[in-house]
PDB file of all heavy atoms in Angstrom:
ATOM      1  N   LEU C   1      22.386  57.723 -52.631  1.00 92.00           N
ATOM      2  CA  LEU C   1      23.297  56.889 -51.948  1.00 92.00           C
ATOM      3  C   LEU C   1      22.451  55.809 -51.190  1.00 92.00           C
ATOM      4  O   LEU C   1      22.339  55.829 -49.948  1.00 92.00           O
ATOM      5  CB  LEU C   1      24.144  57.749 -50.954  1.00 92.00           C
ATOM      6  CG  LEU C   1      24.980  58.799 -51.675  1.00 92.00           C
ATOM      7  CD1 LEU C   1      25.675  59.745 -50.671  1.00 92.00           C
ATOM      8  CD2 LEU C   1      26.028  58.134 -52.560  1.00 92.00           C
ATOM      9  N   THR C   2      21.936  54.793 -51.906  1.00 91.00           N
ATOM     10  CA  THR C   2      21.167  53.778 -51.303  1.00 91.00           C
ATOM     11  C   THR C   2      21.955  52.875 -50.393  1.00 91.00           C
ATOM     12  O   THR C   2      23.087  52.540 -50.738  1.00 91.00           O
ATOM     13  CB  THR C   2      20.494  52.916 -52.481  1.00 91.00           C
ATOM     14  OG1 THR C   2      19.850  53.839 -53.362  1.00 91.00           O
ATOM     15  CG2 THR C   2      19.609  51.877 -51.945  1.00 91.00           C
ATOM     16  N   GLY C   3      21.411  52.599 -49.251  1.00 92.00           N
ATOM     17  CA  GLY C   3      22.083  51.792 -48.356  1.00 92.00           C
ATOM     18  C   GLY C   3      23.017  52.502 -47.399  1.00 92.00           C
ATOM     19  O   GLY C   3      23.843  51.921 -46.689  1.00 92.00           O
ATOM     20  N   LEU C   4      23.007  53.816 -47.509  1.00 93.00           N
ATOM     21  CA  LEU C   4      24.006  54.641 -46.779  1.00 93.00           C
ATOM     22  C   LEU C   4      23.258  55.831 -46.076  1.00 93.00           C
ATOM     23  O   LEU C   4      22.357  56.416 -46.678  1.00 93.00           O
ATOM     24  CB  LEU C   4      25.106  55.242 -47.676  1.00 93.00           C
ATOM     25  CG  LEU C   4      26.105  54.220 -48.337  1.00 93.00           C
ATOM     26  CD1 LEU C   4      26.813  54.920 -49.460  1.00 93.00           C
ATOM     27  CD2 LEU C   4      27.036  53.612 -47.328  1.00 93.00           C
ATOM     28  N   ASP C   5      23.706  56.151 -44.882  1.00 92.00           N
ATOM     29  CA  ASP C   5      23.424  57.460 -44.336  1.00 92.00           C
ATOM     30  C   ASP C   5      24.657  58.309 -44.609  1.00 92.00           C
ATOM     31  O   ASP C   5      25.778  57.825 -44.692  1.00 92.00           O
ATOM     32  CB  ASP C   5      23.269  57.388 -42.805  1.00 92.00           C
ATOM     33  CG  ASP C   5      21.836  57.111 -42.464  1.00 92.00           C
ATOM     34  OD1 ASP C   5      20.941  57.182 -43.306  1.00 92.00           O
ATOM     35  OD2 ASP C   5      21.511  56.898 -41.226  1.00 92.00           O
ATOM     36  N   TRP C   6      24.437  59.574 -44.791  1.00 94.00           N
ATOM     37  CA  TRP C   6      25.597  60.454 -45.188  1.00 94.00           C
ATOM     38  C   TRP C   6      25.458  61.875 -44.642  1.00 94.00           C
ATOM     39  O   TRP C   6      24.410  62.222 -44.307  1.00 94.00           O
ATOM     40  CB  TRP C   6      25.731  60.478 -46.710  1.00 94.00           C
ATOM     41  CG  TRP C   6      24.483  61.100 -47.467  1.00 94.00           C
ATOM     42  CD1 TRP C   6      23.407  60.296 -47.847  1.00 94.00           C
ATOM     43  CD2 TRP C   6      24.157  62.416 -47.751  1.00 94.00           C
ATOM     44  NE1 TRP C   6      22.475  61.168 -48.397  1.00 94.00           N
ATOM     45  CE2 TRP C   6      23.047  62.410 -48.406  1.00 94.00           C
ATOM     46  CE3 TRP C   6      24.917  63.549 -47.582  1.00 94.00           C
ATOM     47  CZ2 TRP C   6      22.318  63.669 -48.877  1.00 94.00           C
ATOM     48  CZ3 TRP C   6      24.351  64.778 -47.989  1.00 94.00           C
ATOM     49  CH2 TRP C   6      23.107  64.713 -48.614  1.00 94.00           C
ATOM     50  N   MET C   7      26.540  62.616 -44.567  1.00 93.00           N
ATOM     51  CA  MET C   7      26.622  63.951 -44.139  1.00 93.00           C
ATOM     52  C   MET C   7      27.686  64.674 -44.975  1.00 93.00           C
ATOM     53  O   MET C   7      28.701  64.163 -45.251  1.00 93.00           O
ATOM     54  CB  MET C   7      27.081  64.049 -42.633  1.00 93.00           C
ATOM     55  CG  MET C   7      26.211  63.320 -41.609  1.00 93.00           C
ATOM     56  SD  MET C   7      26.837  63.512 -39.995  1.00 93.00           S
ATOM     57  CE  MET C   7      26.497  65.231 -39.664  1.00 93.00           C
ATOM     58  N   GLN C   8      27.409  65.823 -45.548  1.00 94.00           N
ATOM     59  CA  GLN C   8      28.379  66.595 -46.279  1.00 94.00           C
ATOM     60  C   GLN C   8      29.099  67.447 -45.214  1.00 94.00           C
ATOM     61  O   GLN C   8      28.565  68.046 -44.305  1.00 94.00           O
ATOM     62  CB  GLN C   8      27.662  67.612 -47.264  1.00 94.00           C
ATOM     63  CG  GLN C   8      28.652  68.412 -48.020  1.00 94.00           C
ATOM     64  CD  GLN C   8      28.106  69.259 -49.097  1.00 94.00           C
ATOM     65  OE1 GLN C   8      27.059  68.881 -49.613  1.00 94.00           O
ATOM     66  NE2 GLN C   8      28.725  70.427 -49.407  1.00 94.00           N
ATOM     67  N   LEU C   9      30.397  67.351 -45.271  1.00 93.00           N
ATOM     68  CA  LEU C   9      31.306  67.929 -44.271  1.00 93.00           C
ATOM     69  C   LEU C   9      31.785  69.301 -44.664  1.00 93.00           C
ATOM     70  O   LEU C   9      32.857  69.492 -45.230  1.00 93.00           O
ATOM     71  CB  LEU C   9      32.488  67.010 -44.096  1.00 93.00           C
ATOM     72  CG  LEU C   9      32.168  65.566 -43.611  1.00 93.00           C
ATOM     73  CD1 LEU C   9      33.402  64.677 -43.588  1.00 93.00           C
ATOM     74  CD2 LEU C   9      31.460  65.530 -42.375  1.00 93.00           C
ATOM     75  N   GLY C  10      30.877  70.222 -44.433  1.00 90.00           N
ATOM     76  CA  GLY C  10      31.260  71.668 -44.713  1.00 90.00           C
ATOM     77  C   GLY C  10      31.027  71.962 -46.112  1.00 90.00           C
ATOM     78  O   GLY C  10      30.363  71.278 -46.935  1.00 90.00           O
ATOM     79  N   GLU C  11      31.503  73.132 -46.454  1.00 92.00           N
ATOM     80  CA  GLU C  11      31.278  73.678 -47.853  1.00 92.00           C
ATOM     81  C   GLU C  11      32.296  73.081 -48.776  1.00 92.00           C
ATOM     82  O   GLU C  11      33.345  72.576 -48.451  1.00 92.00           O
ATOM     83  CB  GLU C  11      31.488  75.215 -47.838  1.00 92.00           C
ATOM     84  CG  GLU C  11      30.459  75.957 -46.947  1.00 92.00           C
ATOM     85  CD  GLU C  11      29.098  75.935 -47.463  1.00 92.00           C
ATOM     86  OE1 GLU C  11      28.923  75.778 -48.779  1.00 92.00           O
ATOM     87  OE2 GLU C  11      28.114  75.997 -46.681  1.00 92.00           O
ATOM     88  N   ASP C  12      31.973  73.101 -50.129  1.00 94.00           N
ATOM     89  CA  ASP C  12      32.869  72.653 -51.096  1.00 94.00           C
ATOM     90  C   ASP C  12      34.197  73.518 -51.103  1.00 94.00           C
ATOM     91  O   ASP C  12      33.990  74.745 -50.812  1.00 94.00           O
ATOM     92  CB  ASP C  12      32.190  72.704 -52.459  1.00 94.00           C
ATOM     93  CG  ASP C  12      31.071  71.731 -52.618  1.00 94.00           C
ATOM     94  OD1 ASP C  12      31.046  70.731 -51.867  1.00 94.00           O
ATOM     95  OD2 ASP C  12      30.263  71.955 -53.553  1.00 94.00           O
ATOM     96  N   ARG C  13      35.334  73.012 -51.395  1.00 94.00           N
ATOM     97  CA  ARG C  13      36.595  73.780 -51.275  1.00 94.00           C
ATOM     98  C   ARG C  13      37.121  73.874 -52.651  1.00 94.00           C
ATOM     99  O   ARG C  13      37.259  72.888 -53.390  1.00 94.00           O
ATOM    100  CB  ARG C  13      37.505  73.024 -50.357  1.00 94.00           C
ATOM    101  CG  ARG C  13      38.809  73.781 -50.049  1.00 94.00           C
ATOM    102  CD  ARG C  13      39.471  73.230 -48.822  1.00 94.00           C
ATOM    103  NE  ARG C  13      40.101  71.958 -49.135  1.00 94.00           N
ATOM    104  CZ  ARG C  13      41.434  71.778 -49.380  1.00 94.00           C
ATOM    105  NH1 ARG C  13      42.292  72.732 -49.317  1.00 94.00           N
ATOM    106  NH2 ARG C  13      41.962  70.560 -49.726  1.00 94.00           N
ATOM    107  N   TRP C  14      37.530  75.058 -53.017  1.00 95.00           N
ATOM    108  CA  TRP C  14      38.246  75.306 -54.334  1.00 95.00           C
ATOM    109  C   TRP C  14      39.652  75.927 -53.987  1.00 95.00           C
ATOM    110  O   TRP C  14      39.771  76.758 -53.145  1.00 95.00           O
ATOM    111  CB  TRP C  14      37.556  76.364 -55.108  1.00 95.00           C
ATOM    112  CG  TRP C  14      36.237  75.801 -55.728  1.00 95.00           C
ATOM    113  CD1 TRP C  14      35.022  75.737 -55.141  1.00 95.00           C
ATOM    114  CD2 TRP C  14      36.077  75.225 -56.996  1.00 95.00           C
ATOM    115  NE1 TRP C  14      33.978  75.256 -55.990  1.00 95.00           N
ATOM    116  CE2 TRP C  14      34.687  74.881 -57.168  1.00 95.00           C
ATOM    117  CE3 TRP C  14      36.932  75.012 -58.111  1.00 95.00           C
ATOM    118  CZ2 TRP C  14      34.114  74.326 -58.336  1.00 95.00           C
ATOM    119  CZ3 TRP C  14      36.383  74.366 -59.270  1.00 95.00           C
ATOM    120  CH2 TRP C  14      34.983  74.042 -59.270  1.00 95.00           C
ATOM    121  N   TYR C  15      40.691  75.424 -54.545  1.00 94.00           N
ATOM    122  CA  TYR C  15      42.091  75.883 -54.268  1.00 94.00           C
ATOM    123  C   TYR C  15      42.912  75.502 -55.494  1.00 94.00           C
ATOM    124  O   TYR C  15      42.513  74.810 -56.463  1.00 94.00           O
ATOM    125  CB  TYR C  15      42.565  75.167 -53.032  1.00 94.00           C
ATOM    126  CG  TYR C  15      42.627  73.649 -53.066  1.00 94.00           C
ATOM    127  CD1 TYR C  15      43.791  73.013 -53.409  1.00 94.00           C
ATOM    128  CD2 TYR C  15      41.465  72.867 -52.877  1.00 94.00           C
ATOM    129  CE1 TYR C  15      43.857  71.636 -53.523  1.00 94.00           C
ATOM    130  CE2 TYR C  15      41.530  71.533 -52.902  1.00 94.00           C
ATOM    131  CZ  TYR C  15      42.726  70.849 -53.244  1.00 94.00           C
ATOM    132  OH  TYR C  15      42.767  69.531 -53.352  1.00 94.00           O
ATOM    133  N   LYS C  16      44.080  76.111 -55.476  1.00 93.00           N
ATOM    134  CA  LYS C  16      45.031  75.872 -56.589  1.00 93.00           C
ATOM    135  C   LYS C  16      46.357  75.068 -55.980  1.00 93.00           C
ATOM    136  O   LYS C  16      46.680  75.350 -54.934  1.00 93.00           O
ATOM    137  CB  LYS C  16      45.453  77.155 -57.227  1.00 93.00           C
ATOM    138  CG  LYS C  16      44.317  77.915 -57.936  1.00 93.00           C
ATOM    139  CD  LYS C  16      44.849  79.228 -58.573  1.00 93.00           C
ATOM    140  CE  LYS C  16      43.705  79.811 -59.423  1.00 93.00           C
ATOM    141  NZ  LYS C  16      44.136  81.121 -60.090  1.00 93.00           N
ATOM    142  N   GLU C  17      46.896  74.287 -56.887  1.00 90.00           N
ATOM    143  CA  GLU C  17      48.090  73.639 -56.510  1.00 90.00           C
ATOM    144  C   GLU C  17      48.835  73.254 -57.789  1.00 90.00           C
ATOM    145  O   GLU C  17      48.263  73.401 -58.932  1.00 90.00           O
ATOM    146  CB  GLU C  17      47.874  72.464 -55.695  1.00 90.00           C
ATOM    147  CG  GLU C  17      47.175  71.246 -56.397  1.00 90.00           C
ATOM    148  CD  GLU C  17      47.094  70.062 -55.541  1.00 90.00           C
ATOM    149  OE1 GLU C  17      47.036  70.125 -54.285  1.00 90.00           O
ATOM    150  OE2 GLU C  17      47.105  68.888 -56.045  1.00 90.00           O
ATOM    151  N   MET C  18      50.127  72.885 -57.649  1.00 90.00           N
ATOM    152  CA  MET C  18      50.998  72.584 -58.763  1.00 90.00           C
ATOM    153  C   MET C  18      50.841  71.084 -59.176  1.00 90.00           C
ATOM    154  O   MET C  18      50.795  70.273 -58.174  1.00 90.00           O
ATOM    155  CB  MET C  18      52.411  72.920 -58.490  1.00 90.00           C
ATOM    156  CG  MET C  18      52.650  74.346 -58.325  1.00 90.00           C
ATOM    157  SD  MET C  18      52.228  75.394 -59.697  1.00 90.00           S
ATOM    158  CE  MET C  18      53.430  74.845 -60.983  1.00 90.00           C
ATOM    159  N   GLU C  19      50.659  70.744 -60.408  1.00 85.00           N
ATOM    160  CA  GLU C  19      50.602  69.306 -60.731  1.00 85.00           C
ATOM    161  C   GLU C  19      51.315  69.146 -62.149  1.00 85.00           C
ATOM    162  O   GLU C  19      51.018  69.778 -63.118  1.00 85.00           O
ATOM    163  CB  GLU C  19      49.147  68.940 -61.014  1.00 85.00           C
ATOM    164  CG  GLU C  19      48.952  67.457 -61.348  1.00 85.00           C
ATOM    165  CD  GLU C  19      47.473  67.104 -61.396  1.00 85.00           C
ATOM    166  OE1 GLU C  19      46.837  67.062 -60.378  1.00 85.00           O
ATOM    167  OE2 GLU C  19      46.898  66.998 -62.484  1.00 85.00           O
ATOM    168  N   ASP C  20      52.351  68.321 -62.150  1.00 82.00           N
ATOM    169  CA  ASP C  20      53.152  68.123 -63.335  1.00 82.00           C
ATOM    170  C   ASP C  20      53.739  69.365 -63.877  1.00 82.00           C
ATOM    171  O   ASP C  20      53.785  69.676 -65.113  1.00 82.00           O
ATOM    172  CB  ASP C  20      52.405  67.461 -64.341  1.00 82.00           C
ATOM    173  CG  ASP C  20      51.933  66.025 -64.021  1.00 82.00           C
ATOM    174  OD1 ASP C  20      52.568  65.390 -63.149  1.00 82.00           O
ATOM    175  OD2 ASP C  20      50.828  65.638 -64.467  1.00 82.00           O
ATOM    176  N   GLY C  21      54.085  70.353 -62.982  1.00 83.00           N
ATOM    177  CA  GLY C  21      54.689  71.645 -63.396  1.00 83.00           C
ATOM    178  C   GLY C  21      53.703  72.675 -63.853  1.00 83.00           C
ATOM    179  O   GLY C  21      53.988  73.728 -64.213  1.00 83.00           O
ATOM    180  N   PHE C  22      52.391  72.424 -63.805  1.00 82.00           N
ATOM    181  CA  PHE C  22      51.354  73.339 -64.105  1.00 82.00           C
ATOM    182  C   PHE C  22      50.502  73.723 -62.922  1.00 82.00           C
ATOM    183  O   PHE C  22      50.294  72.815 -62.077  1.00 82.00           O
ATOM    184  CB  PHE C  22      50.446  72.737 -65.194  1.00 82.00           C
ATOM    185  CG  PHE C  22      51.144  72.544 -66.493  1.00 82.00           C
ATOM    186  CD1 PHE C  22      51.544  71.251 -66.820  1.00 82.00           C
ATOM    187  CD2 PHE C  22      51.200  73.512 -67.481  1.00 82.00           C
ATOM    188  CE1 PHE C  22      52.262  71.005 -68.015  1.00 82.00           C
ATOM    189  CE2 PHE C  22      51.792  73.300 -68.683  1.00 82.00           C
ATOM    190  CZ  PHE C  22      52.325  72.028 -68.975  1.00 82.00           C
ATOM    191  N   GLU C  23      50.057  74.920 -62.848  1.00 90.00           N
ATOM    192  CA  GLU C  23      49.090  75.287 -61.856  1.00 90.00           C
ATOM    193  C   GLU C  23      47.750  74.844 -62.191  1.00 90.00           C
ATOM    194  O   GLU C  23      47.147  75.312 -63.268  1.00 90.00           O
ATOM    195  CB  GLU C  23      49.111  76.846 -61.504  1.00 90.00           C
ATOM    196  CG  GLU C  23      48.298  77.279 -60.355  1.00 90.00           C
ATOM    197  CD  GLU C  23      48.313  78.725 -60.098  1.00 90.00           C
ATOM    198  OE1 GLU C  23      47.784  79.491 -60.888  1.00 90.00           O
ATOM    199  OE2 GLU C  23      48.995  79.176 -59.059  1.00 90.00           O
ATOM    200  N   VAL C  24      47.106  74.107 -61.400  1.00 92.00           N
ATOM    201  CA  VAL C  24      45.729  73.554 -61.736  1.00 92.00           C
ATOM    202  C   VAL C  24      44.768  74.051 -60.632  1.00 92.00           C
ATOM    203  O   VAL C  24      45.067  74.214 -59.483  1.00 92.00           O
ATOM    204  CB  VAL C  24      45.682  72.047 -61.818  1.00 92.00           C
ATOM    205  CG1 VAL C  24      46.649  71.659 -63.031  1.00 92.00           C
ATOM    206  CG2 VAL C  24      46.168  71.360 -60.489  1.00 92.00           C
ATOM    207  N   LEU C  25      43.513  74.080 -61.085  1.00 94.00           N
ATOM    208  CA  LEU C  25      42.404  74.506 -60.163  1.00 94.00           C
ATOM    209  C   LEU C  25      41.803  73.137 -59.628  1.00 94.00           C
ATOM    210  O   LEU C  25      41.496  72.191 -60.369  1.00 94.00           O
ATOM    211  CB  LEU C  25      41.309  75.208 -60.827  1.00 94.00           C
ATOM    212  CG  LEU C  25      40.128  75.728 -60.006  1.00 94.00           C
ATOM    213  CD1 LEU C  25      40.505  76.689 -58.931  1.00 94.00           C
ATOM    214  CD2 LEU C  25      39.070  76.358 -60.919  1.00 94.00           C
ATOM    215  N   LYS C  26      41.658  73.082 -58.265  1.00 95.00           N
ATOM    216  CA  LYS C  26      41.149  71.866 -57.607  1.00 95.00           C
ATOM    217  C   LYS C  26      39.793  72.194 -56.876  1.00 95.00           C
ATOM    218  O   LYS C  26      39.598  73.224 -56.313  1.00 95.00           O
ATOM    219  CB  LYS C  26      42.153  71.379 -56.539  1.00 95.00           C
ATOM    220  CG  LYS C  26      43.422  70.805 -57.122  1.00 95.00           C
ATOM    221  CD  LYS C  26      43.176  69.410 -57.560  1.00 95.00           C
ATOM    222  CE  LYS C  26      44.498  68.608 -57.942  1.00 95.00           C
ATOM    223  NZ  LYS C  26      44.375  67.220 -58.213  1.00 95.00           N
ATOM    224  N   PHE C  27      38.962  71.165 -56.952  1.00 96.00           N
ATOM    225  CA  PHE C  27      37.655  71.123 -56.306  1.00 96.00           C
ATOM    226  C   PHE C  27      37.578  69.948 -55.466  1.00 96.00           C
ATOM    227  O   PHE C  27      38.032  68.865 -55.798  1.00 96.00           O
ATOM    228  CB  PHE C  27      36.536  71.089 -57.400  1.00 96.00           C
ATOM    229  CG  PHE C  27      35.236  70.652 -56.747  1.00 96.00           C
ATOM    230  CD1 PHE C  27      34.346  71.653 -56.286  1.00 96.00           C
ATOM    231  CD2 PHE C  27      34.812  69.383 -56.782  1.00 96.00           C
ATOM    232  CE1 PHE C  27      33.061  71.211 -55.738  1.00 96.00           C
ATOM    233  CE2 PHE C  27      33.577  68.978 -56.346  1.00 96.00           C
ATOM    234  CZ  PHE C  27      32.722  69.862 -55.789  1.00 96.00           C
ATOM    235  N   GLU C  28      36.969  70.101 -54.233  1.00 96.00           N
ATOM    236  CA  GLU C  28      36.879  68.922 -53.250  1.00 96.00           C
ATOM    237  C   GLU C  28      35.624  69.153 -52.460  1.00 96.00           C
ATOM    238  O   GLU C  28      35.322  70.160 -51.918  1.00 96.00           O
ATOM    239  CB  GLU C  28      38.043  68.829 -52.300  1.00 96.00           C
ATOM    240  CG  GLU C  28      37.928  67.610 -51.539  1.00 96.00           C
ATOM    241  CD  GLU C  28      39.154  67.457 -50.460  1.00 96.00           C
ATOM    242  OE1 GLU C  28      39.595  68.516 -50.025  1.00 96.00           O
ATOM    243  OE2 GLU C  28      39.547  66.284 -50.288  1.00 96.00           O
ATOM    244  N   ARG C  29      34.782  68.002 -52.421  1.00 96.00           N
ATOM    245  CA  ARG C  29      33.745  67.910 -51.470  1.00 96.00           C
ATOM    246  C   ARG C  29      33.985  66.621 -50.595  1.00 96.00           C
ATOM    247  O   ARG C  29      34.290  65.598 -51.137  1.00 96.00           O
ATOM    248  CB  ARG C  29      32.414  67.787 -52.200  1.00 96.00           C
ATOM    249  CG  ARG C  29      31.158  67.488 -51.246  1.00 96.00           C
ATOM    250  CD  ARG C  29      29.927  67.315 -51.901  1.00 96.00           C
ATOM    251  NE  ARG C  29      29.467  68.628 -52.549  1.00 96.00           N
ATOM    252  CZ  ARG C  29      28.325  68.882 -53.222  1.00 96.00           C
ATOM    253  NH1 ARG C  29      27.474  67.810 -53.440  1.00 96.00           N
ATOM    254  NH2 ARG C  29      28.128  70.048 -53.644  1.00 96.00           N
ATOM    255  N   ARG C  30      33.880  66.867 -49.310  1.00 96.00           N
ATOM    256  CA  ARG C  30      34.110  65.685 -48.337  1.00 96.00           C
ATOM    257  C   ARG C  30      32.719  65.264 -47.816  1.00 96.00           C
ATOM    258  O   ARG C  30      31.952  66.135 -47.415  1.00 96.00           O
ATOM    259  CB  ARG C  30      35.153  65.980 -47.287  1.00 96.00           C
ATOM    260  CG  ARG C  30      36.491  66.206 -47.903  1.00 96.00           C
ATOM    261  CD  ARG C  30      37.558  66.493 -46.848  1.00 96.00           C
ATOM    262  NE  ARG C  30      37.807  65.384 -45.949  1.00 96.00           N
ATOM    263  CZ  ARG C  30      38.607  64.381 -46.209  1.00 96.00           C
ATOM    264  NH1 ARG C  30      39.190  64.302 -47.351  1.00 96.00           N
ATOM    265  NH2 ARG C  30      38.758  63.396 -45.354  1.00 96.00           N
ATOM    266  N   MET C  31      32.599  63.990 -47.668  1.00 96.00           N
ATOM    267  CA  MET C  31      31.354  63.441 -47.074  1.00 96.00           C
ATOM    268  C   MET C  31      31.698  62.289 -46.160  1.00 96.00           C
ATOM    269  O   MET C  31      32.713  61.590 -46.219  1.00 96.00           O
ATOM    270  CB  MET C  31      30.384  62.867 -48.193  1.00 96.00           C
ATOM    271  CG  MET C  31      30.065  63.931 -49.239  1.00 96.00           C
ATOM    272  SD  MET C  31      28.922  63.256 -50.521  1.00 96.00           S
ATOM    273  CE  MET C  31      27.489  62.931 -49.585  1.00 96.00           C
ATOM    274  N   ALA C  32      30.838  62.180 -45.106  1.00 96.00           N
ATOM    275  CA  ALA C  32      30.863  61.100 -44.170  1.00 96.00           C
ATOM    276  C   ALA C  32      29.691  60.126 -44.555  1.00 96.00           C
ATOM    277  O   ALA C  32      28.586  60.461 -44.606  1.00 96.00           O
ATOM    278  CB  ALA C  32      30.774  61.556 -42.654  1.00 96.00           C
TER     279      ALA C  32
END
């Protein structure tokens, strides 16, 4: 990440939700 300072905001998150009528697995990493 050239030109940026950054911080990872906690652990990666895995969860499930409905999308177009299907249950899908979601992954999310948040960064500052």
Side-chain angles (χ1 to χ4, degrees):
L1 298 174
T2 306
L4 296 166
D5 272 353
W6 58 272
M7 303 177 71
Q8 181 174 332
L9 302 176
E11 300 292 333
D12 296 339
R13 188 166 73 104
W14 290 86
Y15 59 99
K16 292 182 178 181
E17 68 176 27
M18 299 300 295
E19 184 177 283
D20 298 331
F22 295 92
E23 185 179 72
V24 297
L25 180 64
K26 289 279 190 175
F27 162 87
E28 183 181 38
R29 174 179 293 181
R30 292 182 67 83
M31 301 180 68

